Amino acid sequence: MTESMFDSEGRIRIPEQERAAAAPSESVIVNAAYCPAGHNLVSVDHEVCGYPGILLRFVSQAGEGLVVLSARLGDPGKAIVKGRIEPDELASLSCPECGTALDILGHCTCQPEAVQVLAYLYPKRDPYQAIAFCNSLTCDNSAVIRSGEAIKAHTGTPWQG
Ligand SMILES: [Zn+2]
Ligand SMILES: [Zn+2]
């Protein structure tokens, strides 16, 4: 069976094998994740699934709030610690310390306006040394993954800096 190299939206198909190889095979915990201004978002005061979580400020239609994401790669666990957000609502995510919006990696396929955002593993702003997640908190892609995998998935919309 021959399949087109491109999907219906003209993006290059990523072979299944490669995708499987890129998936996190074991539990990897992110112990630091930085905002564009270099603040560490991992909060020891906010645990999710037994580990310090990634604390983010969000703005939803209901106002401002705080959400904490599981720092385990691929784990969709999260908790709203302040404020309210509707399921499937798109949040604008920022650093709780300085309010800087997280950098956008690209569009997410779950909803027309959804985006995947980045948090950096080091204080310097390197998109390849980062984690990525969707701004729809109920999206399958809202679990934290390595940005390299997300960038690969965004073959049609590569990182432009
Ligand atoms: Zn900050
Ligand atoms: Zn999404």
Side-chain angles (χ1 to χ4, degrees), residues 48-154:
V48 182
C49 308
Y51 297 98
I54 299 165
L55 187 68
L56 300 168
R57 196 174 76 117
F58 69 81
V59 179
S60 68
Q61 281 181 356
E64 235 182 76
L66 288 170
V67 63
V68 56
L69 308 180
S70 170
R72 191 153 65 90
L73 292 185
D75 178 5
K78 56 184 67 70
I80 304 285
V81 286
K82 206 182 114 192
R84 205 164 55 81
I85 185 160
E86 298 300 322
D88 299 330
E89 189 182 342
L90 297 176
S92 138
L93 299 170
S94 59
C95 169
E97 198 165 329
C98 68
T100 303
L102 297 187
D103 287 332
I104 292 171
L105 169 68
H107 288 282
C108 184
T109 49
C110 67
Q111 283 186 54
E113 302 296 320
V115 290
Q116 281 191 289
V117 295
L118 293 169
Y120 302 103
L121 297 176
Y122 302 99
K124 72 178 177 130
R125 246 165 132 170
D126 178 354
Y128 285 92
Q129 301 285 318
I131 49 172
F133 42 92
C134 181
N135 71 333
S136 159
L137 301 177
T138 50
C139 169
D140 287 345
N141 293 326
S142 65
V144 168
I145 59 166
R146 288 180 208 276
S147 66
E149 291 164 37
I151 290 167
K152 215 190 256 184
H154 282 285

Side-chain angles (χ1 to χ4, degrees), residues 11-42:
R11 288 173 304 211
I12 291 180
R13 287 182 195 276
I14 299 160
E16 211 51 58
Q17 256 174 327
E18 246 177 80
R19 234 184 254 171
S25 52
E26 62 207 53
S27 226
V28 178
I29 313 294
V30 170
N31 50 27
Y34 296 91
C35 86
H39 299 113
N40 190 356
L41 304 168
V42 172

